[in-house]
Amino acid sequence: MESKNIVHQTKVLAQRRRNRAILRLRLWSGIKESATTWKGVFILPLCAAFIFLWNVRDTLVLFHSDIPLLSTVWSYIIAVLIPLLFLLFLVGLLLLLGTPFRANTIENSLLQIGLANRYGYAPALISCKRIKNTQVSVMMFYSLGVGIETWETHRAEIQDALNIHFVEPIKYGGRNGRNRNIIVITAAPGAETSRKDVLCDEI
């Protein structure tokens, strides 16, 4: 029983570590998306709402008390709640912007072909960018516990499961391609044809 508990605790810790890493990577991806693409316009209404509420915070008094201390405490609560709510909504919005479309579907597809680590977790898609003027996309996965050799072994199954074909070798991601926990694939939709897509330098 004790050994089973240890295994369970180890799996729970691994899941928490994985979830934190995925959230951090998708948050960073959302920051980059909002800073470099048109998606940043979604941040503007949130900032405008924060500025408006902050400017009218003194009027957001739900009750009036003859005790000055209560009014002061309520004012401090409002002054703390408004920035906290802004940060909460901002982080949620950035995570939404940084989560690729169909990320869960892709993860489930990889899981079905057995591309998973020893705890049963498939690589998580954290970024997907289309290369301009082509149908080619650069997909970045958080792949802790699933090495590049395993990706190569499942190469054919991955292409079938995701309905893509690779146009470049599978490689590591991160700065200078040195992060072994990040796997990058460059692929185009559908099966490979005799005509190969031409990659552009600009993304």
Side-chain angles (χ1 to χ4, degrees):
M1 290 296 294
E2 185 176 352
S3 61
K4 290 184 178 179
N5 289 334
I6 293 175
V7 171
H8 176 70
Q9 291 176 0
T10 303
K11 185 175 181 179
V12 170
L13 290 175
Q15 182 180 16
R16 290 176 180 174
R17 178 186 176 187
R18 177 179 183 271
N19 291 340
R20 286 195 300 267
I22 293 172
L23 287 176
R24 183 179 68 253
L25 291 167
R26 286 180 175 169
L27 179 61
W28 177 241
S29 178
I31 293 173
K32 291 192 292 185
E33 286 287 325
S34 61
T36 60
T37 69
W38 59 269
K39 294 180 180 180
V41 299
F42 292 109
I43 305 293
L44 299 180
L46 184 61
C47 294
F50 167 72
I51 293 172
F52 172 76
L53 290 175
W54 183 256
N55 288 333
V56 300
R57 66 185 183 279
D58 293 334
T59 64
L60 301 176
V61 179
L62 300 180
F63 63 90
H64 296 279
S65 174
D66 295 332
I67 305 176
L69 180 60
L70 290 179
S71 298
T72 302
V73 170
W74 178 252
S75 298
Y76 279 117
I77 291 175
I78 292 294
V80 170
L81 277 179
I82 292 176
L84 284 179
L85 288 175
F86 170 73
L87 289 176
L88 181 64
F89 282 109
L90 179 61
V91 169
L93 181 58
L94 290 173
L95 284 174
L96 182 63
L97 295 176
T99 302
F101 179 64
R102 297 179 65 246
N104 289 335
T105 302
I106 291 174
E107 184 175 336
N108 290 333
S109 297
L110 295 178
L111 186 61
Q112 289 175 5
I113 63 173
L115 191 69
N117 60 18
R118 60 176 178 169
Y119 299 113
Y121 300 124
L125 182 64
I126 57 174
S127 176
C128 183
K129 292 185 178 181
R130 176 76 63 85
I131 297 178
K132 287 183 179 180
N133 303 321
T134 72
Q135 290 187 322
V136 178
S137 296
V138 179
M139 306 170 71
M140 188 178 302
F141 292 84
Y142 177 71
S143 188
L144 179 65
V146 184
I148 197 169
E149 297 83 4
T150 306
W151 280 81
E152 291 288 358
T153 301
H154 289 77
R155 184 183 182 93
E157 293 95 328
I158 294 170
Q159 293 180 108
D160 290 341
L162 302 185
N163 190 28
I164 59 173
H165 65 274
F166 296 138
V167 298
E168 286 187 3
I170 302 172
K171 56 188 177 183
Y172 293 119
R175 182 173 296 179
N176 299 322
R178 301 185 64 181
N179 190 339
R180 299 176 68 90
N181 295 328
I182 304 296
I183 296 294
V184 178
I185 64 175
T186 305
E192 186 174 9
T193 61
S194 57
R195 176 186 177 275
K196 295 186 177 181
D197 297 289
V198 179
L199 302 184
C200 296
D201 293 332
E202 296 181 352
I203 295 181

